[in-house]
Amino acid sequence: MAMTPAELEAQKDTLELLNNEVAARLTRQSDSLAKIDTKSVFLIGFAATAAQFLATHKHHDVLAYCAFAAYAITLLAGVQTMRVAEHKDLEPRVILTDNVGFPKSQALAALAATRASIFEENQRRHEMKARYWAVSLSTLVVGLGLSTVALLLHT
């Protein structure tokens, strides 16, 4: 629903409120994406350490190979989590060139709409990162269980 310039001007305070909320939500989303990356790095490091530990100890071969496979999946899923790391953000030059000369209400409406679109695109990436991270965590747990049994069965 397109608004006339007069309707936009009448909604200027509301548009400012909405724009600020969308901007804050984008910041929270970006923080969440960074936290998933950090957790993924932790899982990768833990899986690599666990695989090295298992490799240097006597173990039940079949279970150990299954554990190594689980660790490999953990590593791959962790790397995929970080690969999807880039997220969209506002392009300052585009915002400036597209909105210079417009009244504040119209610029706020365009800015809020742009931020909402960016949020939606980032949300898809966020969900993908979360899925890869869940796979990485799950396979790490499986690998640790298999490693434990492989080490215990050998003794």
Side-chain angles (χ1 to χ4, degrees):
M1 169 178 134
M3 298 176 106
T4 66
E7 291 172 326
L8 278 174
E9 193 60 33
Q11 294 293 321
K12 186 168 47 177
D13 290 338
T14 302
L15 288 169
E16 197 158 5
L17 173 73
L18 294 172
N19 182 54
N20 289 339
E21 179 55 34
V22 174
R25 184 62 185 101
L26 274 172
T27 299
R28 290 190 304 271
Q29 184 184 55
S30 178
D31 290 345
S32 179
L33 287 166
K35 287 176 183 175
I36 291 174
D37 283 346
T38 301
K39 291 175 183 179
S40 183
V41 168
F42 174 75
L43 290 179
I44 289 170
F46 198 89
T49 303
Q52 289 173 353
F53 178 82
L54 182 59
T56 60
H57 289 77
K58 295 184 179 187
H59 51 265
H60 183 274
D61 286 342
V62 174
L63 291 174
Y65 295 143
C66 292
F68 288 131
Y71 292 142
I73 294 169
T74 299
L75 294 170
L76 291 173
V79 169
Q80 281 296 101
T81 299
M82 292 184 301
R83 187 189 68 78
V84 190
E86 71 277 348
H87 68 281
K88 280 194 67 94
D89 205 347
L90 288 173
E91 295 293 333
R93 182 173 304 280
V94 174
I95 293 296
L96 289 172
T97 58
D98 287 354
N99 294 291
V100 73
F102 289 117
K104 182 177 181 178
S105 57
Q106 191 172 352
L108 280 171
L111 187 58
T114 300
R115 284 182 166 150
S117 294
I118 290 170
F119 179 86
E120 290 168 356
E121 188 170 334
N122 287 343
Q123 186 63 27
R124 288 186 289 276
R125 289 185 174 120
H126 188 275
E127 290 167 0
M128 183 70 80
K129 286 172 79 70
R131 277 188 235 125
Y132 279 124
W133 183 82
V135 168
S136 186
L137 177 63
S138 301
T139 55
L140 176 62
V141 170
V142 168
L144 289 172
L146 289 168
S147 288
T148 303
V149 174
L151 291 169
L152 289 174
L153 284 179
H154 190 270
T155 58

